Amino acid sequence: MTGFAPQAPHNDLLSGLLQRYSVGARHLGEPAPSMDDLLRMTEAALRAPDHAGLVPFRFAAIRGPARERLGDLFEEAALQAGKNAEDARRDRHRALDAPMLLAVIARIDTGHPQATVHEQWMAVGGALTNLLNAAHALGYGGKMLSGSKVRAAPVVAAFCEPGEQLVGWVVLGTARKAGSPKFNKPDPSQVTRDW
């Protein structure tokens, strides 16, 4: 008789997950993930729970000279928002701080007959989590960033097709400093209990 045999626990995987923290752009250096590593990270993102298999997300890598173009967009968006020239230049440099940025773009089907909108957003979040965990497993650091730029017309127009929404950017690179907890999280027993 053949049947399902549970896999052995992956203690190394769990240990790695418990050691992952976000690493900000100013603590990231070269090398950025290679295209092969980026595709492995995306493969992990595609393993996130995804009701109806819609893949309600995509990514756009910004590296090398593309960071300068993104900086131009950030500066333009800042000026359009009424920031002064100095603050707009600061916004421009946010595109240059990390070796790589990865735009996270959601494509939510609001009329899907099976997968509700909130399930699709959960799939986007699960994909992002898996991507960041894979980056950590491959030896990279990263962090998700958003802010007002994700709604700025010139930035949105550069990344989104009709029906898409810019969620933010993952900054990626090699951590020059280990990540550390930013918030005090509760004991696991405070957020999980029997019903």
Side-chain angles (χ1 to χ4, degrees):
M1 174 178 172
T2 61
F4 175 77
Q7 293 184 349
H10 294 283
N11 291 328
D12 290 343
L13 175 61
L14 181 57
S15 176
L17 289 175
L18 296 176
Q19 294 173 27
R20 195 211 75 79
Y21 296 100
S22 293
V23 180
R26 70 175 182 252
H27 300 297
L28 297 173
E30 295 287 353
S34 65
M35 183 51 83
D36 285 345
D37 285 345
L38 188 56
L39 292 175
R40 290 288 286 166
M41 292 159 52
T42 304
E43 187 177 5
L46 289 165
R47 298 299 176 269
D50 179 7
H51 187 192
L54 298 180
V55 188
F57 60 87
R58 66 181 180 88
F59 305 115
I62 305 120
R63 51 193 169 164
R67 294 181 310 147
E68 292 285 345
R69 293 195 314 272
L70 182 62
D72 293 342
L73 286 171
F74 281 3
E75 187 170 13
E76 178 185 350
L79 291 170
Q80 286 182 5
K83 290 188 177 182
N84 64 42
E86 183 180 340
D87 287 342
R89 277 192 300 277
R90 245 194 305 275
D91 274 13
R92 179 183 205 295
H93 285 284
R94 293 183 196 282
L96 307 174
D97 288 343
M100 176 188 283
L101 295 91
L102 193 65
V104 180
I105 301 151
R107 32 191 198 189
I108 306 299
D109 180 350
T110 58
H112 195 274
Q114 290 179 303
T116 63
V117 168
H118 81 271
E119 288 174 311
Q120 293 175 59
W121 277 113
M122 287 170 41
V124 174
L128 173 61
T129 300
N130 278 6
L131 184 129
L132 283 166
N133 286 331
H136 176 70
L138 290 168
Y140 299 107
K143 181 178 183 174
M144 178 70 190
L145 301 172
S146 58
S148 61
K149 290 183 276 306
V150 302
R151 295 178 298 281
V155 181
V156 171
F159 285 96
C160 294
E161 297 172 7
E164 293 184 332
Q165 183 174 346
L166 183 59
V167 178
W169 294 268
V170 176
V171 292
L172 290 166
T174 299
R176 295 185 299 227
K177 173 188 167 202
S180 59
K182 184 175 180 182
F183 304 103
N184 291 326
K185 297 288 180 106
D187 183 85
S189 65
Q190 293 179 322
V191 295
T192 303
R193 60 182 78 121
D194 286 327
W195 179 60

